[in-house]
């Protein structure tokens, strides 16, 4: 919850705007300001104070306990011009909160955390438990001193300018070791603990078993990603409670799924009880990995039979591939999610001209793999191969990456051994439509006229179907120097079903500095106006030109009523 505190009418107005934007995330604290801050500080994860920074410093100073427990605090000035991340920039999330508040209120976020200012990810913001000399190693990174990465377990990290050797070290490990001098430990969630339990097994017995198994194997409990078991035990209180105490999910598999997993120590007891010869080992190995701790049983002080079993597996790191749509070209049409993925990726793969568009948004240390036109399949294979190495990869494309872009060849190459996320972008058809007016107000279809990968016979059949169905058509890749007859042919097919007066929009370089557009008709369109940087949108029989803009009504009744009113 985010506590909101104000002292003046101007502050209250901004406060209420934020509360209206985030009704489920915020709570307004009224009354004397000092009391409001004190209550919010103790009850909320974050605070936004519409007060001077000096006043907030004096109010929160007596309340501070430590950077790992204090809430993030953001100050917004009376005029609403700045949102200042005052306290808990990383741990309390104040830096991100300042940016989010700025978006809502139109304020400039002010972030002074050194790593953010330098474009480096903070070691405590990588999403992994961190131990050791975080301040000292971070200072070395900021000063440009060589910091070595010792990756005992491969894991997809955002770009950090690590060196091959250095006096400071970041060690990526799931082993139970102590951080050395000038060293930071990052704990990847690489361990899966399979657990089985008899009905009524106590939480303490399960926990003692799991923690003892990890301790004896020299493994860190902070690297446990999940507990896993058979679905028949999904509600077993001892397992549910142990997962809650460890702060990890309890993942379940069917008996049939576990029975199909090859294990070193099958048993008749679980087969008779739940239908699989193994629970602990099979659940731990269900998604592959290296068995570090074979099945072991709990020990009870009263000498009664064990009620719990466990096994520990190191699961291989899964690389991450983000397929990112950059939009049509304008920077303000690049989505916040796309920006976040670009900064998260340690490897960027893309067409050279698209890389140039966003190069300034990348973090220092990002490895860039760029190539020229015509290498789409090669880029897709490269991106997937890098992800399979355990890297965090962003594969970029213009518009929406899933529309005539890189998502299709990439996902054709990818299998279930990597994590894939798609980041939507504003497509060229949508950018052009916004310039033209509202040509896509009813059913519409996009068709590429490039026959480099699709036979013309197939393209022509699709154009004819759209023509017969009276659907608005947007043509991608309409014309190039080597392909100058396809557009006239497609327009001729549409002309068999639509009047010469049918509105047509032509937009070149939509959203870019040299954007140009015109609204013409099917009868007057000159194909010479069109090139590969152009999108052509042909209206249907209901599309009209109104005040120079293309408008396709949502329904024919609306159009009929409007014409009758005239």
């Amino acid at each position: 919850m985010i506590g909101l505190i104000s002292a003046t009418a101007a502050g209250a107005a901004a406060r209420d705007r934020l509360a209206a934007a985030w009704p489920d995330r915020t709570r307004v604290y009224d009354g004397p300001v000092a009391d409001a801050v004190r209550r919010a500080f103790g009850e909320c994860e974050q605070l936004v104070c519409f007060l001077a920074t000096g006043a907030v410093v004096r109010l929160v100073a007596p309340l501070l306990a430590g950077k790992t427990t204090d809430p993030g605090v953001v100050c917004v000035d009376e005029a609403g011009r700045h949102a200042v991340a005052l306290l808990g920039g990383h741990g309390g999330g104040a830096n991100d909160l300042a940016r989010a508040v700025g978006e809502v209120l139109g304020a400039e976020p002010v972030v002074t955390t050194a790593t953010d200012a330098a474009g480096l990810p903070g070691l405590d913001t990588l999403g992994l438990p961190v131990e050791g000399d975080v301040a000292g190693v971070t200072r070395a990174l900021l000063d440009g001193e060589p910091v070595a990465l010792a990756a005992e377990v491969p894991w997809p990290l955002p770009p950090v300018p690590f060196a091959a050797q250095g006096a400071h070290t970041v060690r990526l490990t799931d082993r139970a070791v102590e951080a050395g001098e000038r060293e930071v430990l990052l704990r990847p969630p690489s361990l899966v603990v399979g657990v089985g339990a008899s009905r009524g097994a106590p939480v303490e017995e399960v926990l003692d078993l799991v923690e003892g198994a990890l301790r004896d194997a020299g493994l860190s409990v902070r690297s446990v990603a999940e507990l896993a078991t058979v679905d028949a035990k999904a509600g077993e209180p001892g397992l549910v409670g142990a997962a809650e105490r460890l702060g990890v999910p309890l993942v379940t598999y069917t008996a049939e799924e576990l029975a199909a997993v090859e294990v070193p120590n099958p048993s008749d007891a679980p087969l008779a009880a739940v239908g699989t010869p193994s629970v602990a080992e099979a659940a731990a190995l269900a998604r592959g990995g290296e068995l570090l701790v074979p099945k072991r049983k709990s020990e009870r002080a009263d000498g009664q039979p064990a009620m719990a079993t466990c096994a520990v597996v190191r699961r291989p790191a899964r690389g991450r591939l983000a397929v990112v749509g950059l939009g049509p070209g304008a920077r303000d049409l690049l989505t916040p999610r796309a920006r976040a993925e670009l900064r998260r990726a340690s490897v960027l793969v893309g067409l050279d001209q698209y890389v140039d568009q966003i190069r300034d948004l990348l973090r220092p240390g990002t490895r860039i793999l760029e190539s020229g036109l015509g290498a789409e399949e090669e880029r897709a294979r490269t991106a997937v191969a890098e992800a399979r190495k355990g890297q965090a990869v962003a594969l970029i494309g213009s518009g929406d990456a899933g529309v005539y872009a890189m998502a299709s060849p990439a996902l054709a190459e990818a299998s279930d051994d990597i994590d894939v996320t798609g980041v939507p972008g504003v497509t060229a058809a949508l950018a052009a439509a916004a310039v033209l007016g509202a040509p896509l107000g009813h059913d519409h279809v996009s068709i590429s006229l490039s026959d480099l990968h699709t036979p013309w016979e197939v393209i022509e059949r699709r154009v004819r179907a759209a023509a017969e169905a009276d659907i608005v058509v947007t043509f991608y890749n309409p014309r190039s120097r080597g392909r100058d007859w396809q557009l006239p042919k497609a327009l001729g097919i549409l002309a068999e079903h639509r009047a010469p007066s049918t509105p047509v929009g032509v937009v070149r370089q939509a959203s870019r500095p040299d954007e140009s557009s015109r609204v013409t008709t099917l009868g007057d369109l000159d194909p010479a106006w069109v090139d590969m940087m152009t999108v052509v949108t042909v209206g249907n029989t209901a599309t009209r030109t109104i005040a120079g803009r293309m408008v396709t009504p949502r329904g024919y009744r609306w159009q009929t009523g409007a014409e009758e009113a005239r």
Side-chain angles (χ1 to χ4, degrees):
M1 186 62 65
I2 303 171
L4 306 181
I5 301 102
S6 63
T8 65
R15 176 202 68 191
D16 292 344
R17 286 173 56 198
L18 196 61
W22 299 339
D24 299 327
R25 299 173 55 194
T26 57
R27 179 186 304 157
V28 173
Y29 283 79
D30 292 318
V33 172
D35 292 341
V37 169
R38 185 164 49 252
R39 286 186 288 122
F41 200 92
E43 297 171 358
C44 297
E45 291 82 16
Q46 295 174 321
L47 279 69
V48 179
C49 299
F50 297 85
L51 304 164
T53 55
V56 177
V57 168
R58 287 189 292 272
L59 289 169
V60 303
L63 308 175
L64 299 180
K67 65 182 299 181
T68 60
T69 57
D70 292 335
V73 178
V74 170
C75 294
V76 178
D77 64 278
E78 284 288 295
R81 293 175 301 181
H82 300 98
V84 182
L86 183 68
L87 178 69
H90 285 166
N95 293 349
D96 289 338
L97 179 60
R99 297 183 184 102
V101 169
E103 289 182 7
V104 174
L105 301 181
E108 181 71 22
V110 179
V111 175
T112 59
T113 306
T115 49
D116 290 67
L120 294 172
L123 296 175
D124 54 350
T125 67
L126 301 181
L128 304 178
V130 59
E131 306 167 21
D133 186 13
V134 176
V137 175
T138 299
R139 189 179 305 112
L141 285 169
L142 291 169
D143 290 344
E145 297 180 25
V147 176
L149 174 66
E152 298 175 4
V153 180
W155 208 260
L157 295 176
V160 180
F162 290 123
Q165 294 181 332
H168 297 78
T169 304
V170 172
R171 196 195 316 187
L172 193 63
T173 181
D174 57 15
R175 295 190 299 117
V177 294
E178 297 291 330
E181 186 179 359
R182 293 182 293 188
E183 183 178 59
V184 164
L185 302 181
L186 292 178
R187 301 294 191 184
S190 55
L191 304 178
V192 177
V193 181
V195 287
S198 302
R199 180 177 298 178
V203 172
E204 289 73 16
E205 183 172 344
V206 177
L207 272 178
D208 288 346
L209 172 64
V210 171
E211 292 173 348
L214 294 168
R215 183 173 55 252
D216 292 346
L219 299 170
S220 172
V221 69
R222 302 190 76 186
S223 281
V224 175
E226 63 190 43
L227 298 189
T229 191
V230 65
D231 59 3
K233 297 294 181 179
E236 185 63 44
L239 300 185
V240 173
E244 291 176 349
R245 297 262 286 272
L246 291 169
V248 299
L250 179 64
V251 176
T252 63
Y253 299 93
T254 66
E256 290 76 15
E257 290 173 319
L258 296 185
V261 179
E262 186 175 344
V263 298
N265 300 293
S267 172
D268 292 335
L271 180 62
V274 294
T276 172
S278 172
V279 173
E281 288 182 341
L285 288 165
R287 290 172 56 190
E290 176 189 3
L291 184 63
L292 303 180
V293 179
K295 181 181 71 175
R296 60 188 288 176
K297 297 180 180 181
S298 57
E299 297 180 359
R300 306 191 65 182
D302 58 7
Q304 295 298 310
M307 299 187 72
T309 59
C310 82
V312 182
V313 162
R314 178 180 288 134
R315 185 173 290 172
R318 290 175 63 85
R320 187 175 188 276
L321 173 63
V323 187
V324 181
L326 300 180
R331 179 58 63 85
D332 59 353
L333 292 182
L334 179 68
T335 67
R337 187 180 300 180
R339 287 173 180 263
E341 288 294 347
L342 293 176
R343 295 180 66 76
R344 178 175 180 171
S346 59
V347 179
L348 182 87
V349 181
L351 179 67
D352 47 14
Q353 58 184 293
Y354 297 154
V355 172
D356 289 340
Q357 290 179 23
I358 48 83
R359 197 183 297 271
D360 61 303
L361 298 179
L362 305 177
R363 290 190 187 275
T366 304
R367 184 157 56 96
I368 299 173
L369 304 176
E370 54 188 314
S371 53
L373 287 168
E376 288 83 1
E377 293 182 358
E378 177 187 344
R379 284 194 291 276
R381 285 193 293 268
T382 297
V384 172
E386 290 292 329
R388 285 186 174 136
K389 295 176 184 176
Q391 301 288 340
V393 182
L395 174 63
I396 60 173
S398 66
D400 183 283
V403 179
Y404 303 122
M406 294 306 301
S408 179
L411 298 191
E413 291 285 335
S415 54
D416 63 359
D417 57 347
I418 61 173
D419 294 324
V420 177
T421 185
V423 180
V426 178
T427 68
L430 297 180
V435 173
L436 296 171
L440 308 183
H442 208 294
D443 296 337
H444 54 275
V445 63
S446 296
I447 299 177
S448 171
L449 294 183
S450 173
D451 56 357
L452 296 178
H453 300 288
T454 305
W456 174 255
E457 293 76 14
V458 174
I459 298 172
E460 181 174 337
R461 187 166 67 247
R462 292 170 179 171
V463 174
R464 195 170 298 281
E468 294 174 353
D470 195 28
I471 295 177
V472 176
V473 181
T474 297
F475 288 124
Y476 280 71
N477 306 313
R479 185 174 180 269
S480 66
R481 291 180 180 178
R483 297 185 301 99
D484 58 1
W485 60 268
Q486 288 90 342
L487 179 59
K489 177 68 173 176
L491 295 173
I493 295 172
L494 293 177
E496 297 173 10
H497 300 269
R498 303 178 193 184
S501 60
T502 300
V504 176
V506 179
V507 181
R508 187 176 188 278
Q509 297 278 37
S511 87
R512 299 184 182 184
D514 53 348
E515 171 189 288
S516 63
S517 66
R518 68 177 79 196
V519 176
T520 182
T521 65
L522 189 57
D524 292 338
L525 173 64
D526 184 352
W529 300 337
V530 178
D531 62 12
M532 281 291 288
M533 306 304 295
T534 305
V535 172
V536 178
T537 300
V538 183
N540 64 14
T541 56
T543 305
R544 298 291 183 267
T545 301
I546 302 174
R549 294 181 285 269
M550 285 180 69
V551 179
T552 301
R554 292 182 61 188
Y556 292 101
R557 292 180 182 177
W558 177 89
Q559 186 66 36
T560 301
E563 291 177 347
E564 290 175 352
R566 293 173 188 165

